[in-house]
Every structure is written in structure tokens, then in C-alpha cells.
Amino acid sequence: MKNAILSELFNQMADIMEILGEDRFRISTYRKVARIIGDTPADIEVLLATGELAKIPGVGKSSLAKIEQFIKTGTITAHKQLLTKIPPKLLELLAIPGIGPKGVKAVYEELKVKSIADLKRAIKAGSFARLPGFGDKKAAVIARGIAFLEKSTGRIRLDQALEAAYLVTDFLRELSGTGRIQTAGSLRRRAETIGDVDILVAAGKGKQIVQAFTGAGFVQEVLAAGPTKGSAIIQTETAPIHVDVRVVPAESFGAAAQYFTGSKQHNVRLREIAVKAKLKLNEYGLFKADKMIAGPVEEEIYQKLCLDYIDPLLREDRGEVEAAKSRCLPKLITVEDIKADFHVHTNASDGNCDASDLAQAAKDAGYKYICITDHSRSSAIANGLSPERLAQQIKQIRKLNEKLKGVTLLAGSEVDILANGSLDFDDKLLAELDFVIAAIHSGLAGSREKVTTRTLKAMDNPYVNCIAHPTGRLIGQREPMDIDIAAVIKHAAQTHTAFEVNANPWRLDLKDTHCRMAIETGVKLAIGTDAHSVAGLALMGFGVATAARGWATKADILNTLSVAKIRSWLKSKRP
DNA sequence: GCCGTTTTCGGCCCGACTGTTTTCAGTCG
């Protein structure tokens, strides 16, 4: 699949054009095309061949020609030509917080800086600060930016961002004079990774609130502190995290929540609609001439723009604005709809509690059933169960069920898909189980053909109900397998196999766009926390949010079925 | 480069904060 590299090439062309100071609208067109290609789960080659690509708004003749040239030849002439105009390493400077295209252009032309290493030397030698328009303070900002870039791994996981958000919101709540507090930005949208944490607070005295925040004990470094915005690096248990606190007047709280939740692209769409209706939309409200017609309440912004309210989870400019206009947004899955967890481990394999603990915890969470899915024998590191131990566990679970009231344990297994696509247990044993999830745990770096074939073959087994973490990625740590996602989704629909949405914030696998593709193909999703402890069950919300970001409704999610209905759904695949 | 319910040419979303300024450009979100 060439989507990622192609998206990168368009972004790179935009970067270079920015440094060269070319027309900004032209540049934003390149960025838009990059985003469209990067966002789509479908293979760009297929989209091009079927003519679908040409139909996407924003992709015009010129972009289409470049994409076609890349598919045919592996390069884009325009990209190559742009690359001759600047040293390629110069582009890495754009990642430094505090320096943008104009700054990069200046240090390149005036100081012959060609890389981050060059820039560091120029700052140290003092030549950077002597450039017109720059100075000692700017030099210090950039030096800090480079240090931050070098030590940070980039974006953080959802659980880390939430930890920071709780820390700061709890602090703000204790201050006098603060009203409503709302998390915004990519965290509110539950994007899979978070750049920085945005928190809104309604209050009159902005400067005081900002000063209190930037002076708090958890603040490591203050980046900015004005009358409405404070920006700081804060120290959490897991990582240093960039947090922005914005103070807004109560009458603008809804507009600010809308504005700062984004995404950027979603907001652009909304402001375009506003402009066409001769209105102005900003973080203070929606205005007709100078009169505010919406502001305190977020829902009213959408209402006054003649749109249905769009859930933050959908605000990515992936068709939600059109759907809101034509009143056909999906009714998204919520945690309240969830009646089960499909993926948990006990101390029989690598978990730290037993099945009865999990049953009680599931009941406490308001679930009707929970599926015990310990590892199979090939996952030796995880103390995977032998056939004998699994048979034993099934008996135990049946016995435990006789005593349980209000909650049911389903006997399951997370069965390894072996190198040749066969399963770790034979069919006779699998037939004893209520729910079988198959998973690849080894050979994840295998070829596209190999990992795809393994998964396809596993789905052919009549006892496999679900594929766990289908792409195998670990966010920020391990790339997904090079699997043909379109092919496996199609086969899942044909074989009546569900796909897992692994709720662990390290995984979120399937991811949002793949969830959407599965749903559109008619594949059911089973959300599993992959919990190894009672506390792990609480990760469910991340999985629900990921599915909802893929436009999932209650009907798409197996976790919403009653025990009776899930049993009958599971039987329908069996011989 | 893209697009069209005022347009096939002339537009294309909005504001805060900072630093180096003497009224604003650059960067960021």
C-alpha cells in the first residue's frame, strides 16, 4: 500500500514550497491532498483505478496526475524538482517548535544552515541571535525546542494525555472564580495519539487563572502566559506533557469548546459554512454583523449553521459535515450500550486475577457477561494454556457459572495463528469453547502476502469468531503488520467473522478508519480490553471511542447483544 | 492548486502570544 509514502511526498512538497515562500493557498491544497491520501483506509491504487479518487473534493487534475505518475514510476517529477532547490535535511528543521518556514529560509540563506546539527552550532556561536528579526530570546526558544524534539518521542498515548488532563482539571476546579471546565482538542476527540492537552475553563479573571496554572507544582516549564492562555510542560507519572489552558468568558464557553476541540479541518469547514451564510465564527461565538447569535452552548453553534450536532468523536472532516447537513449522522455507540467484554486474561496465563474476580468486576461494571480468553500454548512467554489446561479451565468456568448470579462467564481462548495459518488448538477442543479469538503474536514483520494469508486462513476455521488486534501495532513502539486490510475485511464479511477493537491505548486495533471500513463492509466488531487485571476492564471507553470514531452504531458492536443473542450469533458460523 | 446558489477568474478561515518591533511578522493551534 502506497498511501503513507504518497501522503508524505505531498506534505514534503508543501514543506518545500513553504520554505520557498510560494503561494499559501497552493500549499494548503497540497496539504489537503496529503491528508486525504493519509486518511483513507482504502488502497490509493485501487481508488485511482476505479476513478473514486477523482471524485473526492480537493483532489484535482494536477494532483491526480502526480499520484498517477507515482503509481506508475515510483517518483513524482515535481517533487524531485523541488528537492533540488533545498538540501533535504533542511526539512527536519520544520519539526522544531518555535521555528517555521520563514525562519528556516532565513537561517538557510543567511547562515548556510542545512540541518538541525548546523542550527545548533549557529545558536551556540551566537550568529543565530544576530540575524535581523531574531535575538537572544528567540535563540533560547529554539534551543529548548531542539532539546524537546530530541528527547520527546513525538505524540503521546490517550491514557497519558488523560492523566495530565485529570491533574490539571482537578487543580483548576479548586481555584476560586472558575466555572465550567472542559477538555478540548484531540483528547476530547479521542484521537489515537495526542500532541498536547487542551483545557478550557470559564472564568472572568483570565490572568489570575493562567498565573495560578503556570505556577502550579506540577509545571516543569512555562512556554507562554498571557491574559487568556497559559502553556506549559507538566510532569506526570509517565511523561512530560504539553498542556494549554485557555480561559474564556462563560458567554463564549460553547463557541470556545467547539473551536478548540477541532479538528482544524472540521473547523475550516464550519467557518466556510458560516462565511457563506454571511456569519462569522470564532472562539468567542457565532456572529451576525456584531451580534452574537450563538456562543454559550456548543450545540447552538451547529444548530445556527443548519447542522445536526456533531459528536466530537466524528469531527475529522471525514464526511460528518455533509451528514450533519442532510440529517443522517449515525447514532454512535456509547459505553452505556456495552454489556460485555470479549477479551480478558486470568492468572491461568499472564493475568493477575482469577475468573471469579473478573466475573464480579464485570457485574460491578453493569455487564451481563464476560469472555475469558487466555493465551494458547504457543505463547509460551505468556504462560499459554496447553490443551489439557484449557479443557480444565472450560470445566471450571462451567462450574463457576452455576454459582454466578446476574453475570455469565463465556469460555474462550485467544488462540495463536501459527506461521502456516493453522491454529494452536484442534477443532475438537475449539468446539468446546463459547468464543474463539484468533491472533497473530509472532512473525509480525512477515511479508504482506504471508501475514494476510495467515489471517485469511484463520478466518476459514468454522470455530474462529473473531480476529484479535488485527494489525498488531503498538502505538509509538511497533509498526502494524503489512496486512492487506481490505482483503481481510472482505473475507471477514464472507466468513461471518468479527474483528476486535482492542481497547488498550497502546493498541487501538482496529483503528478508527479501519473500523469504518469494516462496518461499511458489514463486519461486526467485538470490543475487548485485553485486560490482565480487574483494573484493565476500565479501558473499555478507549475501544468504544475508537469504534465510534469509525462511525459505529449499537448494531455494529457485538458487545451490545444479550447473552442469548450472542450465543445464537456465535452458533451461526459453526457447522 | 481547487472550485463555483453572487465567480470559469478571483477568491480561498480565525485569533493569541511572543519577540523584536516602533506598528508587525512569524508561529502556533
Side-chain angles (χ1 to χ4, degrees), chain A residues 196-469:
Chain A
D196 48 38
V197 173
D198 291 300
I199 293 166
L200 302 180
V201 50
K205 293 166 182 162
K207 198 155 192 172
Q208 284 178 16
I209 305 289
V210 169
Q211 274 172 1
F213 163 62
T214 53
F218 49 68
V219 166
Q220 217 174 49
E221 186 186 342
V222 178
L223 303 173
T228 67
K229 178 186 160 184
S231 190
I233 306 290
I234 74 164
Q235 186 58 48
T236 68
E237 296 278 329
T238 56
I241 293 174
H242 181 166
V243 178
D244 285 347
V245 169
R246 296 171 196 268
V247 186
V248 297
E251 67 266 24
S252 295
F253 196 81
Q258 196 291 310
Y259 185 91
F260 290 113
T261 296
S263 66
K264 197 175 169 177
Q265 290 305 319
H266 174 87
N267 286 355
V268 167
R269 295 297 311 278
L270 255 54
R271 288 198 289 270
E272 281 170 0
I273 290 174
V275 167
K276 273 188 187 146
K278 304 239 185 280
L279 304 172
K280 188 169 88 161
L281 178 63
N282 58 29
E283 61 261 57
Y284 298 105
L286 183 64
F287 299 89
K288 188 169 195 168
D290 284 337
K291 190 169 167 268
M292 181 195 275
I293 58 171
V297 182
E298 191 180 38
E299 283 82 352
E300 285 180 4
I301 305 282
Y302 288 90
Q303 195 194 331
K304 290 276 162 51
L305 292 174
C306 300
L307 298 170
D308 277 347
Y309 178 70
I310 300 175
D311 192 289
L313 299 172
L314 297 183
R315 298 181 196 171
E316 299 291 346
D317 189 23
R318 293 176 183 161
E320 75 280 5
V321 176
E322 290 75 10
K325 213 183 278 179
S326 52
R327 317 267 170 215
C328 58
L329 280 167
K331 188 173 185 312
L332 298 179
I333 179 82
T334 70
V335 281
E336 285 75 33
D337 297 323
I338 298 297
K339 292 181 179 152
D341 193 325
F342 281 108
H343 189 164
V344 301
H345 295 272
T346 74
N347 50 18
S349 64
D350 58 348
N352 72 359
C353 59
D354 61 30
S356 61
D357 296 332
L358 288 164
Q360 184 57 47
K363 194 176 170 183
D364 293 344
Y367 295 168
K368 297 297 180 200
Y369 56 104
I370 185 165
C371 196
I372 305 296
T373 53
D374 277 312
H375 289 285
S376 63
R377 60 182 162 187
S378 289
S379 284
I381 298 170
N383 190 24
L385 274 57
S386 65
E388 295 73 27
R389 287 177 67 212
L390 178 59
Q392 188 76 26
Q393 188 188 49
I394 296 170
K395 273 187 202 156
Q396 276 173 3
I397 287 172
R398 303 289 180 232
K399 207 166 169 189
L400 206 50
N401 263 335
E402 290 170 16
K403 285 193 286 184
L404 289 173
K405 287 204 173 69
V407 69
T408 303
L409 284 170
L410 296 189
S413 175
E414 182 181 7
V415 189
D416 270 44
I417 300 172
L418 305 179
N420 63 3
S422 67
L423 297 172
D424 213 5
F425 295 129
D426 63 29
D427 284 3
K428 190 158 171 273
L429 182 53
L430 294 179
E432 297 293 315
L433 292 164
D434 300 312
F435 190 75
V436 176
I437 49 184
I440 292 181
H441 288 114
S442 58
L444 287 94
S447 71
R448 186 173 176 86
E449 198 205 336
K450 180 131 200 193
V451 294
T452 304
T453 311
R454 283 171 80 185
T455 307
L456 293 175
K457 198 171 162 198
M459 286 189 278
D460 284 333
N461 184 296
Y463 300 102
V464 169
N465 303 116
C466 181
I467 301 294
H469 41 74

Side-chain angles (χ1 to χ4, degrees), chain A residues 7 123 180 182-183 345 412 511 525 552 555 565:
Chain A
S7 172
I123 291 170
R180 294 176 61 191
Q182 163 87 65
T183 303
H345 295 272
K511 63 189 258 167
L525 301 174
K565 284 199 171 142

